[in-house]
Amino acid sequence: MVVPADVRAAVAEHARAEEPNESCGVLVLRDGRAERYVTGRNAAESPYRFELEVDPEVWFLEDEGYELAVVHSHVSAPPRPSRTDIENIGLWAGRPYVIYTVRTDELAAWRIRDGHIEELPLY
């Protein structure tokens, strides 16, 4: 997965603006390349978990050939899925799952399926 500098910057800016809570949103991908980041709202308003809310129109982008990847931030924990992330994967199981860590400015991508975690290459 390729996340260009401008898209990474948008993820980081959103994460910093939402501190101390986790931020969340969606990467819009075409052929494995992030074209943009759509900010979401963390309905949980929590520093430990997120409940993604985005404009319903975002979900229809898949009908136009885009792949969607959920993104959320960790304030200080490493950009690795937490137990909460794994237990609450829900509809994102098997899909790209991206985590940004505010403290270290790191971005990492994963695929979580049936309790197994696979790191995805991120460029």
Side-chain angles (χ1 to χ4, degrees):
M1 177 186 315
V2 176
V3 182
D6 62 326
V7 177
R8 285 178 187 245
V11 169
E13 180 180 331
H14 183 220
R16 284 190 220 94
E18 293 298 315
E19 279 190 290
N21 294 327
E22 290 188 354
S23 64
C24 54
V26 175
L27 285 180
V28 180
L29 306 161
R30 179 157 331 256
D31 299 323
R33 181 180 179 82
E35 292 189 358
R36 66 184 181 273
Y37 173 66
V38 178
T39 60
R41 183 176 97 73
N42 181 353
E45 297 181 355
S46 169
Y48 309 108
R49 64 187 184 86
F50 72 98
E51 293 175 22
L52 175 63
E53 287 185 355
V54 292
D55 184 320
E57 293 298 315
V58 170
W59 308 122
F60 292 105
L61 291 170
E62 290 179 315
D63 295 341
E64 297 174 23
Y66 290 100
E67 180 178 22
L68 304 178
V70 69
V71 180
H72 79 284
S73 67
H74 286 173
V75 176
S76 61
R80 179 171 176 74
S82 67
R83 184 174 15 158
T84 301
D85 293 332
I86 295 164
E87 291 171 356
N88 296 321
I89 193 68
L91 296 174
W92 295 100
R95 299 172 76 166
Y97 192 84
V98 180
I99 302 172
Y100 173 76
T101 297
V102 176
R103 181 177 51 85
T104 59
D105 191 38
E106 291 177 90
L107 190 69
W110 310 88
R111 192 175 312 276
I112 304 169
R113 190 178 340 198
D114 301 323
H116 295 89
I117 303 167
E118 169 194 0
E119 188 168 9
L120 299 176
L122 195 60
Y123 306 98

